[in-house]
């Protein structure tokens, strides 16, 4: 035990992930986001309209208040979704994958390749029509994916999946040796 060394690390000299140039999502993915918002607000509008219609004593003032509130919430959702879309980005580096997302609070997830257990490719109905796919990266110890990168061109997503699976297999082979 005399040869044990535990030197301190100068954290100021570590590479900064914030300096990595992230790739944006495909611009057509914003159509998927808008479609999802439209469906949610259509359902919410129908439910709220039925609720107001069948409640006795509902005056015209309630309808105006509900309409104004509905429009304000819709505009706020559109505003936040646009900010969120612009903040999303990803990068693949030699040893890890980076994914950034969020509108109000920005979240950055960095997953080292040696932690990746499985990679999946998913296409929703509208995404498939737009030629888009989502790559999901799973690490050990969880039942759901750790990173979901949506809004990728399908061919690019398939290439990313192959790249990641190649890295995972190389790492597993190195550990077996």
């Amino acid at each position: 035990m005399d040869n044990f060394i535990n030197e301190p690390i100068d954290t100021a000299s570590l590479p900064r992930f914030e300096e990595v140039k992230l790739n944006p999502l495909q611009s057509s993915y914003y159509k998927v986001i808008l479609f999802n918002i439209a469906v949610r607000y259509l359902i919410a509008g129908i439910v709220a309209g039925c609720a107001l219609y069948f409640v006795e004593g509902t005056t015209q003032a309630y309808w105006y208040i509900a309409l104004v509130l509905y429009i304000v919430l819709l505009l706020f959702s559109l505003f936040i979704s646009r900010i969120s879309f612009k903040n999303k980005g990803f990068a693949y580096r030699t040893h890890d994958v980076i994914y950034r997302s969020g509108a109000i609070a920005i979240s950055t997830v960095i997953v080292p390749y040696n932690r990746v257990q499985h990679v999946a490719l998913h296409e929703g109905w509208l995404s498939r029509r737009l030629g888009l796919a989502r790559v999901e990266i799973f690490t050990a110890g969880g039942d759901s994916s750790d990173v979901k990168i949506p809004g990728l061109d399908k061919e690019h997503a398939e290439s990313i999946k192959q790249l990641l699976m190649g890295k995972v297999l190389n790492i597993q082979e190195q550990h077996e040796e």
Side-chain angles (χ1 to χ4, degrees), residues 92-97 110-115 167 171:
Y92 293 91
R93 301 190 298 179
T94 307
H95 301 288
D96 56 31
V97 58
I110 302 173
V111 177
Y113 295 135
N114 63 358
R115 305 298 301 156
K167 296 255 185 204
I171 291 169

Side-chain angles (χ1 to χ4, degrees), residues 23-135:
N23 299 307
L25 303 182
Q26 290 291 316
S27 59
S28 58
Y29 179 65
Y30 193 61
K31 293 176 186 175
V32 175
I33 294 171
L34 291 177
F35 178 78
N36 290 335
I37 290 172
V39 168
R40 281 188 210 121
Y41 275 87
L42 178 65
I43 292 169
I46 291 170
V47 169
C50 288
L52 283 173
Y53 181 77
F54 290 112
V55 171
E56 287 191 36
T58 304
T59 64
Q60 196 171 9
Y62 285 122
W63 283 97
Y64 287 131
I65 292 169
L67 182 62
V68 168
L69 182 62
Y70 183 82
I71 291 171
V72 167
L73 289 174
L74 176 61
L75 292 175
F76 182 73
S77 293
L78 292 171
F79 176 71
I80 293 296
S81 70
R82 189 65 185 167
I83 291 171
S84 176
F85 176 75
K86 287 185 176 194
N87 286 337
K88 290 181 182 184
F90 65 95
Y92 293 91
R93 301 190 298 179
T94 307
H95 301 288
D96 56 31
V97 58
I98 300 173
Y99 179 63
R100 183 186 67 205
S101 63
I104 297 170
I106 305 297
S107 172
T108 303
V109 179
I110 302 173
V111 177
Y113 295 135
N114 63 358
R115 305 298 301 156
V116 175
Q117 297 288 315
H118 175 66
V119 181
L121 188 76
H122 292 284
E123 301 172 79
W125 170 79
L126 183 57
S127 294
R128 190 175 323 116
R129 295 204 182 312
L130 296 172
L132 302 174
R134 175 179 73 219
V135 172

